């Protein structure tokens, strides 16, 4: 495979805008103590999560539109300027039309085409790579990548193994071209391995098990996770791919300002940072506030850290994720927003 330096490119895709939306309703660990046999101490020590949000006003598109509006407002930009909208999600409003179409219409992005992308917790990285390629080809100038998931609609609130891990949120980034190849997207390593499908899935609702009274009775419309198995694969997957992209691009740990990890479990994040040889403080973390928001975790981290003034132009970032599929990957980019 060619290194990023060997690949000829006229443009890099760079992130030129950020946006986010968080539902108002907070479910803290004490709420789960009141409905399940669990406790705050177990949840915090095993996962790092203290709170997560629950959307009560609308579907996934509602959150996606709010995040996009936040981005457009902060850039003082019209929705009509957007060329492409990609929505990474496993909780689309419906199978079809795509949530991206609902967002396009309600946002007033009348010059945009778009589509949904389903790759679970790696969805945002897959969408970013897709969007960056559309920019780097020279074909498009403004690509909006939204990560939005309303996980509260697909978790079983009687299952203590899963329900307290997930939360609802949306976040968006805008990609635009830059001719300054020192900034923006430098490299990506992405993978999937469908043999992992047995460990994290939702069985019902699709063409395999179309919805019937039976599928509802058998609780097939909520997610299942074999946590222990996924945990081991996630640590290995996220750490190995992050080390691989560092090696491929001659990056030492000191060259990296932040690891931007998918927020599934604080222990997975810490282990990944450790194996990469970077201090824990260099791993972006907001899992304590929002839990695992699936496709929204990575843009939410970037948006919050940028708005808090912790992310500076020129910072080298390694984004990394692992999730259902299995899917996993890493992206190396240099932050370009002042
Ligand atoms: O984002 C997509 C990818 N997903 C991930 O990366 C998630 C990966 N997996 C994990 O994060 C962890 O496996 C979990 C947080 C899901 C579970 O943590 P764990 O340390 O792997 O716990 P476990 O499933 O091995 O369970 C340990 C014990 C069990 O009791 P026994 O058998 O030791 O008596 C569970 O029954 O903890 C028990 N347990 C709980 N106790 C209190 C499981 N869930 C709970 C709970 N409260 N909520």
């Amino acid at each position: 495979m060619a290194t990023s330096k060997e690949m000829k490119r006229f443009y890099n895709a760079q992130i030129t805008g950020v946006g986010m939306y968080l539902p108002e309703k907070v479910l803290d660990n004490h709420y789960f103590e009141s409905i399940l046999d669990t406790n705050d101490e177990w949840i915090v020590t095993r996962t790092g999560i203290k709170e997560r949000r629950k959307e009560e006003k609308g579907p996934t598109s509602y959150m996606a539109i709010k995040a996009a509006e936040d981005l457009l407002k902060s850039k003082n930009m019209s929705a009509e300027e957007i060329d492409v909208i990609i929505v990474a999600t496993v909780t689309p409003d419906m199978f079809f039309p795509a949530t991206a179409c609902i967002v396009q219409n309600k946002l007033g992005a009348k010059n945009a085409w778009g589509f949904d992308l389903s790759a679970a917790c790696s969805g945002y990285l897959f969408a970013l790579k897709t969007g960056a390629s559309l920019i780097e080809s020279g074909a498009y100038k403004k690509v909006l990548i939204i990560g939005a998931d309303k996980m509260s609609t697909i978790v079983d609130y009687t299952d203590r193994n899963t329900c307290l891990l997930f939360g609802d949120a949306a976040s968006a980034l805008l990609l635009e071209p830059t001719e300054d190849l020192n900034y923006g997207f430098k490299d990506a390593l992405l993978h999937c391995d469908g043999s992992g499908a047995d460990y994290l899935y939702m069985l019902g609702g699709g063409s395999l098990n179309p919805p019937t009274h039976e599928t509802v009775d058998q609780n097939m419309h909520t997610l299942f996770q074999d946590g222990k198995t996924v945990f081991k694969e996630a640590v290995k997957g996220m750490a190995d791919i992050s080390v691989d992209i560092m090696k491929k691009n001659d990056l030492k740990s000191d060259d990296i300002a932040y690891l931007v990890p998918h927020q599934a479990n604080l222990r997975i994040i810490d282990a990944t940072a450790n194996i990469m040889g970077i201090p824990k403080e260099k791993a972006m973390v907001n899992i304590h506030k929002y839990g695992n928001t699936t496709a929204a975790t990575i843009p939410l981290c970037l948006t919050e850290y940028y708005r808090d003034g912790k992310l500076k132009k020129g910072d080298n970032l390694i984004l990394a994720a692992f999730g259902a599929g299995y899917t996993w990957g890493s992206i190396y980019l240099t932050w370009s927003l002042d």
Side-chain angles (χ1 to χ4, degrees):
M1 214 186 293
T3 68
S4 56
K5 281 179 195 154
E6 288 160 355
M7 281 193 272
K8 269 198 198 144
R9 230 189 244 160
F10 299 109
Y11 307 106
N12 270 0
Q14 62 174 343
I15 293 165
T16 60
V18 299
M20 61 190 265
Y21 169 77
L22 293 165
E24 280 164 31
K25 174 88 173 178
V26 174
L27 300 182
D28 65 13
N29 289 348
H30 301 299
Y31 167 74
F32 288 95
E33 286 178 340
S34 74
I35 61 164
L36 293 166
D37 177 16
T38 189
N39 58 79
D40 177 58
E41 205 244 326
W42 189 97
I43 303 171
V44 172
T45 53
R46 296 290 181 127
T47 71
I49 302 168
K50 293 180 181 160
E51 294 178 352
R52 68 294 284 148
R53 302 295 176 101
K54 186 173 186 203
E55 177 55 43
E56 295 184 314
K57 290 187 185 147
T60 295
S61 66
Y62 175 84
M63 299 193 295
I65 290 162
K66 290 278 182 198
E69 286 173 344
D70 180 43
L71 183 151
L72 293 174
K73 193 169 164 221
S74 71
K75 280 191 69 71
N76 195 21
M77 176 183 148
S78 158
E80 293 180 14
E81 293 179 48
I82 302 167
D83 297 318
V84 186
I85 299 172
I86 306 176
V87 178
T89 186
V90 289
T91 51
D93 288 16
M94 297 168 269
F95 272 179
F96 62 88
T99 303
C101 297
I102 298 163
V103 172
Q104 177 274 333
N105 180 42
K106 292 200 177 150
L107 206 56
K110 63 181 187 194
N111 298 308
W113 63 282
F115 56 94
D116 291 358
L117 188 151
S118 171
C121 294
S122 308
Y124 205 81
L125 292 193
F126 285 22
L128 268 184
K129 172 62 185 167
T130 306
S133 303
L134 293 172
I135 296 277
E136 287 157 7
S137 72
Y140 299 98
K141 297 270 183 266
K142 287 184 166 58
V143 179
L144 183 67
I145 317 276
I146 305 173
D149 268 306
K150 189 170 177 182
M151 297 305 289
S152 61
T153 58
I154 60 164
V155 294
D156 172 359
Y157 280 98
T158 66
D159 177 11
R160 69 175 186 170
N161 292 300
T162 53
C163 69
L164 43 78
L165 304 173
F166 294 94
D168 303 339
S171 184
L173 303 175
L174 185 72
L175 301 183
E176 292 185 76
T178 173
E179 288 179 17
D180 184 346
L181 303 187
N182 291 312
Y183 294 101
F185 283 73
K186 304 269 180 77
D187 203 5
L189 295 174
L190 302 171
H191 294 285
C192 67
D193 175 2
S195 68
D198 293 343
Y199 307 104
L200 182 47
Y201 55 76
M202 190 172 84
L203 280 178
S207 55
L208 179 64
N209 298 294
T212 60
H213 288 290
E214 206 179 23
T215 63
V216 172
D217 291 344
Q218 291 178 7
N219 201 14
M220 290 166 96
H221 298 276
T222 56
L223 75 78
F224 168 84
Q225 174 171 252
D226 173 347
K228 247 190 201 345
T229 304
V230 177
F231 184 95
K232 283 185 211 140
E233 295 295 333
V235 171
K236 194 174 153 25
M238 267 178 46
D240 286 355
I241 199 99
S242 302
V243 169
D244 286 351
I245 207 162
M246 284 170 70
K247 279 191 188 150
K248 191 174 162 219
N249 291 279
D250 296 327
L251 292 167
K252 306 278 166 279
S253 51
D254 284 348
D255 300 325
I256 295 162
Y258 287 106
L259 163 69
V260 191
H262 170 55
Q263 310 278 306
N265 189 313
L266 189 57
R267 290 183 292 144
I268 298 175
I269 295 170
D270 287 347
T272 303
N274 188 34
I275 294 166
M276 289 168 74
I278 64 166
K280 272 203 308 202
E281 303 70 50
K282 280 192 175 184
M284 289 191 184
V285 171
N286 60 17
I287 189 172
H288 51 294
K289 296 188 286 185
Y290 313 128
N292 182 351
T293 57
T294 305
T297 60
I298 286 177
L300 209 49
C301 275
L302 289 170
T303 301
E304 282 202 325
Y305 273 67
Y306 173 65
R307 288 184 172 171
D308 289 349
K310 295 180 191 161
L311 196 46
K312 300 274 182 307
K313 185 170 181 173
D315 280 350
N316 285 326
L317 308 178
I318 302 288
L319 284 45
F322 186 92
Y326 295 128
T327 54
W328 71 105
S330 62
I331 286 180
Y332 161 40
L333 65 88
T334 303
W335 192 252
S336 49
L337 272 172
D338 276 319

